[in-house]
């Protein structure tokens, strides 16, 4: 004769529902490692999100050693741009960032809009060529690139 123990199935149901939710949700929005890179000759070893915001809003224009900062915008509509907008500059979309730049030019706060990189490999090549260079890239696409170093930014 079989004995059936009374047990609650509620924990099993909750576990199954949670598992289905995780599968449906998919990977996080910025699953791939998004990092900041600088020229290998740059003395900077870390950056904060506040630093990135100041740089990309063109309020901070020089590195601590006095060298001019040359920052490239990530590719349009890529994960790198989404991460920069959402986590660092706190601007909703690229068009709002461009409006910010145009307004700053009109008010004579800046003279040019930062150039955009075509992709992470292009950004790495540009940063390698400028001692004050900075870009936001996908880490997996620039590993082993000469002339750059990765600066991890918490929260990017």
């Amino acid at each position: 004769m079989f004995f059936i123990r009374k047990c609650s199935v509620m924990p099993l149901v909750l576990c199954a529902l949670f598992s289905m939710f995780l599968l449906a949700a998919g990977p996080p929005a910025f699953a791939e490692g998004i990092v900041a890179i600088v020229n290998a000759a740059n003395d900077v070893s870390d950056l904060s999100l506040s630093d990135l915001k100041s740089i990309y809003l063109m309020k901070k224009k020089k590195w601590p050693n006095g060298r001019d900062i040359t920052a490239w915008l990530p590719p349009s509509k890529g994960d790198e741009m989404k991460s920069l907008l959402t986590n660092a500059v706190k601007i909703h979309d690229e068009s709002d960032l461009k409006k910010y730049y145009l307004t700053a030019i009109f008010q004579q706060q800046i003279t040019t809009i930062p150039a955009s990189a075509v992709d992470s490999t292009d950004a790495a090549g540009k940063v390698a060529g400028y001692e004050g260079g900075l870009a936001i890239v996908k880490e997996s696409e620039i590993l082993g690139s000469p002339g750059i170093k990765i600066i991890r930014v918490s929260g990017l």
Side-chain angles (χ1 to χ4, degrees), residues 111-122:
T111 57
T112 61
I113 294 173
S116 294
V118 175
D119 57 25
S120 292
T121 305
D122 178 49

Side-chain angles (χ1 to χ4, degrees), residues 56-58 94-114:
Y56 278 96
L57 294 183
M58 301 190 77
E94 292 177 58
S95 63
D96 288 340
L97 182 60
K98 301 237 168 136
K99 287 177 192 172
Y100 169 84
Y101 289 138
L102 291 174
T103 300
I105 287 173
F106 180 74
Q107 295 173 348
Q108 297 180 346
Q109 297 169 344
I110 62 174
T111 57
T112 61
I113 294 173

Side-chain angles (χ1 to χ4, degrees), residues 19-38:
S19 297
M20 288 174 26
F21 169 77
L22 289 177
L23 288 172
F30 309 116
E32 186 168 5
I34 305 294
V35 296
I37 57 170
V38 296

